[in-house]
Amino acid sequence: MSRRYVALIGAPPSAIDRAIAAGAGVGMTCVYQLPWLTVIADADVRVTFVTEMSGVILGEIFTRSFEDGRSAAARIAALDELPANVWGGYIGFAQAPEGCSVLRGVSGPNPCYFTPLEDGWGFAPDARLLSQITGRSFAIDWYALGSLLLYRESRPEHTCLSAVRELMPGTMATIGVKGLSVRTIWTPARYIAAKINAFDDASQKLRDTILATIQAWAQQFERPLLELSGGLDSSIVAAGLASAGSRFHCLSYQASGADLDETDYARCVSDHLGASLDKMRPDASAVRLDVSAAAHLPRPHARSFIQETDRLSHEAARRIGADVFFTGNGGDNVFCFLSSIAPVRDRLRTCDIAGSWRTAADIAQVCEVGRWEVLAKTVRRGFRRSAAQEWHWTPDFLANEVVAGTCRPPAHPWLTACEQAAPGSRAHVAAILRIQNYLEGHTRLAHAPLIAPLLSQPVIETCLSIPSWQWCAGGQNRAVARAAFAEYLPGDILDRQSKGSFAGMISRILEIRRDQVRTMLLDGLLAQYGLLDCKAIEQQLAPASPVSGRSAGRILGLVDAEAWARSWSS
């Protein structure tokens, strides 16, 4: 299930004919056409015609009561009313008073990139398809790539390909006689303001929302395959699938070397829920560093070690006949896992001194430091922080010219909208934005969609309405989520604090491919265009030089960017 689409707006008949022919060559057909709009899509893309607006919606749509939302969406009179009435993984196209509008839903598997054409505009879920169908070629924007490598958590509208922009979640582009303009339709501000202050009320609301959301998604598919680590987030998704009566199967990855093996935790969950489980071991030696899984994307958001988990999950999916991948990705982000003093600062803003003292103790326990250290940092930090500062920078191994000459990325519209919110709330929003960089760049998406139900709009809205200090109550991270599913999961999972990672595998890849990595970086495009500190890289990759886990991850990230750049330069 590839779920591809291309939309042309304002294009001349000759360009439309060429696009339809190019689409037919890769198995796509024209699913909707008006004089000003042509939509080409795969047969498996779900299409909803909206007669009230003279338009079409692509993707899954659900009502606020978690039912099929196609009928409700078809009756909505204006495209910008969709986020308040429905949710899902959708892109909407409709006639507007000013011309034609394109709306990207707040969440879900619904990427959308766009570019100006010789006449008109083109929209698609990836840049390679956009180029292939429209005939438009794209060049790398080296400044933007350097900025992304420095501020790797950021996700500005302008991508690393010249002339390719992203329509951000919850925003709407309108194309008229004056050109294209983008407006933010949905922001977190409304939900941050609607606080659920009682812990028990918050946990009950969160549980009900997550269960209903997962059930809505599960009903769209016959045989889900869930990546189950046995951590809290993926275990909650497993509990939701079991509650929905889904015929899901679980897959857990066996660790190598120093990485924590989580398969016993995964088995604990699957046995508790009565679900089947496979265990598979990724092979570091099978990773190809010269191949980018983001070669179709306008940013190098693909991690080479994920090639192996994608390969194994694809194999498991074919073996069991899975038609969708489910994941707990985004749980840390949406459940406000903050290792900072922000919740204390938030609670102080409410003038609750006693409560702030308790929250300081909670944060101290989460971060394993003293309460007085937490309070001292709270006083030093003050109460304000710019939204633009939510993106941390990583100057390691980058050229001085890149570090000194790169401006901070512009604040995301969601962060701008909640500039006056409490620090913890802004950090919560930034965390939800940060995970967006890890939802693309998966080769298994050619087989089936990847659903991260914890990042669905109803869950995001509910989580934003829970004060940051509730999430660390009792000195436990993600405390509200733990309480919400206390009756659904084993105690060992609810009490688990350890987290697995692929750090050992990343170090192993660098260890066995050090010569290839050195050649790719020192003789590659990133070095040629002045983005790298080649001397520092050469010293780090010297045969006898030890490489820390942090440096190994950073260096392989630069290799991933190099492979991506080569894919767009060939």
Side-chain angles (χ1 to χ4, degrees):
M1 179 179 281
S2 50
R3 305 161 71 89
R4 299 174 301 174
Y5 70 87
V6 174
L8 302 182
I9 297 176
S14 58
I16 293 172
D17 291 342
R18 286 195 302 269
I20 292 175
V26 293
M28 302 170 70
T29 60
C30 181
V31 298
Y32 190 78
Q33 193 166 25
L34 291 173
W36 45 270
L37 171 65
T38 298
V39 179
I40 306 163
D42 283 325
D44 53 25
V45 172
R46 297 177 185 181
V47 180
T48 301
F49 300 103
V50 282
T51 54
E52 290 290 328
M53 294 182 279
S54 295
V56 65
I57 300 173
L58 308 179
E60 293 86 1
I61 318 169
F62 307 102
T63 67
R64 287 290 180 163
S65 56
F66 302 95
E67 299 169 345
D68 189 310
R70 286 175 290 184
S71 296
R75 295 191 299 268
I76 291 174
L79 202 59
D80 58 6
E81 296 177 10
L82 284 175
N85 292 280
V86 298
W87 63 276
Y90 65 85
I91 303 289
F93 302 88
Q95 190 169 9
E98 305 88 349
C100 178
S101 292
V102 184
L103 173 71
R104 180 178 174 184
V106 176
S107 62
N110 60 346
C112 184
Y113 299 99
F114 63 95
T115 189
L117 306 175
E118 185 174 347
D119 288 297
W121 294 80
F123 292 77
D126 70 71
R128 191 72 67 180
L129 181 65
L130 192 55
S131 175
Q132 184 178 10
I133 301 302
T134 66
R136 174 79 192 266
S137 58
F138 305 121
I140 295 173
D141 182 334
W142 293 100
Y143 177 86
L145 180 56
S147 176
L148 182 66
L149 295 176
L150 182 60
Y151 297 98
R152 55 193 177 90
E153 297 175 337
S154 67
R155 195 177 178 95
E157 175 188 288
H158 291 274
T159 72
C160 297
L161 294 179
S162 298
V164 178
R165 295 159 63 186
E166 180 179 11
L167 186 63
M168 310 302 279
T171 65
M172 185 173 74
T174 299
I175 300 163
V177 294
K178 296 183 179 180
L180 182 143
S181 61
V182 177
R183 180 163 58 99
T184 302
I185 304 301
W186 183 97
T187 76
R190 171 185 173 185
Y191 304 95
I192 291 173
K195 292 298 184 191
I196 307 174
N197 288 308
F199 185 91
D200 290 344
D201 292 344
S203 64
Q204 180 178 340
K205 173 67 172 176
L206 180 63
R207 179 182 63 248
D208 293 346
T209 301
I210 289 176
L211 290 177
T213 297
I214 293 176
Q215 180 173 16
W217 279 117
Q219 289 175 343
Q220 306 299 308
F221 305 98
E222 295 293 330
R223 185 68 160 145
L225 176 64
L226 169 66
E227 286 183 323
L228 178 63
S229 67
L232 179 65
D233 308 327
S234 63
S235 299
I236 285 175
V237 175
L241 289 170
S243 177
S246 172
R247 293 176 53 249
F248 72 105
H249 182 81
C250 302
L251 173 63
S252 186
Y253 301 115
Q254 295 173 296
S256 300
D259 289 335
L260 173 68
D261 193 321
E262 301 181 281
T263 53
D264 286 345
Y265 290 110
R267 175 61 69 188
C268 176
V269 175
S270 62
D271 286 351
H272 182 79
L273 299 175
S276 54
L277 172 72
D278 280 344
K279 302 178 182 181
M280 304 179 78
R281 188 185 302 277
D283 180 4
S285 65
V287 173
R288 289 192 57 185
L289 297 181
D290 59 335
V291 174
S292 173
H296 60 299
L297 298 173
R299 303 184 186 95
H301 285 320
R303 295 168 291 174
S304 51
F305 70 90
I306 295 295
Q307 291 177 21
E308 267 299 279
T309 56
D310 275 357
R311 179 183 67 83
L312 296 177
S313 61
H314 190 188
E315 286 182 6
R318 286 189 296 181
R319 185 172 61 254
I320 68 167
D323 58 346
V324 65
F325 299 103
F326 270 70
T327 176
N329 284 358
D332 284 354
N333 310 74
V334 77
F335 295 151
C336 199
F337 190 166
L338 300 179
S339 298
S340 76
I341 60 173
V344 184
R345 298 167 67 196
D346 287 8
R347 200 160 193 183
L348 277 171
R349 285 168 62 117
T350 69
C351 299
D352 181 357
I353 303 302
S356 301
W357 178 253
R358 290 193 299 273
T359 299
D362 293 337
I363 288 294
Q365 187 172 340
V366 169
C367 299
E368 299 181 336
V369 298
R371 186 190 313 201
W372 287 108
E373 180 179 345
V374 171
L375 291 172
K377 287 184 177 180
T378 303
V379 172
R380 288 198 302 268
R381 184 68 57 86
F383 293 88
R384 294 300 306 275
R385 187 180 185 186
S386 167
Q389 292 180 297
E390 300 295 348
W391 310 130
H392 308 298
W393 74 334
T394 310
D396 311 42
F397 305 111
L398 295 182
N400 289 333
E401 293 77 8
V402 173
V403 176
T406 302
C407 299
R408 280 189 175 274
H412 190 282
W414 289 3
L415 287 172
T416 302
C418 58
E419 175 66 24
Q420 300 304 314
S425 295
R426 292 199 304 275
H428 194 180
V429 173
I432 293 169
L433 292 171
R434 198 173 295 128
I435 192 61
Q436 304 297 323
N437 289 339
Y438 302 100
L439 302 179
E440 300 174 298
H442 292 277
T443 56
R444 57 181 155 160
L445 291 175
H447 172 78
L450 175 65
I451 305 297
L454 300 182
L455 292 171
S456 297
Q457 182 180 344
V459 180
I460 291 174
E461 292 171 350
T462 299
C463 290
L464 288 172
S465 68
I466 298 172
S468 61
W469 59 85
Q470 299 283 27
W471 292 105
C472 61
Q476 285 191 311
N477 60 65
R478 299 167 288 175
V480 182
R482 295 179 193 274
F485 284 85
E487 297 179 2
Y488 288 77
L489 295 172
D492 288 347
I493 303 302
L494 292 166
D495 296 335
R496 180 185 172 188
Q497 299 293 325
S498 62
K499 295 183 71 66
S501 77
F502 288 94
M505 182 177 177
I506 290 171
S507 295
R508 175 61 178 160
I509 293 170
L510 184 58
E511 176 186 343
I512 63 180
R513 300 288 178 82
R514 188 179 290 225
D515 290 342
Q516 181 186 3
V517 168
R518 183 187 300 110
T519 300
M520 284 186 68
L521 292 182
L522 299 182
D523 298 335
L525 292 170
L526 300 187
Q528 177 184 332
Y529 282 89
L531 270 57
L532 301 182
D533 182 345
C534 292
K535 183 177 180 180
I537 292 172
E538 191 167 15
Q539 290 175 345
Q540 181 67 90
L541 294 177
S545 177
V547 182
S548 67
R550 170 190 166 93
S551 292
R554 174 59 165 172
I555 288 172
L556 279 193
L558 295 175
V559 171
D560 295 337
E562 175 67 28
W564 174 86
R566 294 183 184 188
S567 75
W568 281 102
S569 300
S570 59

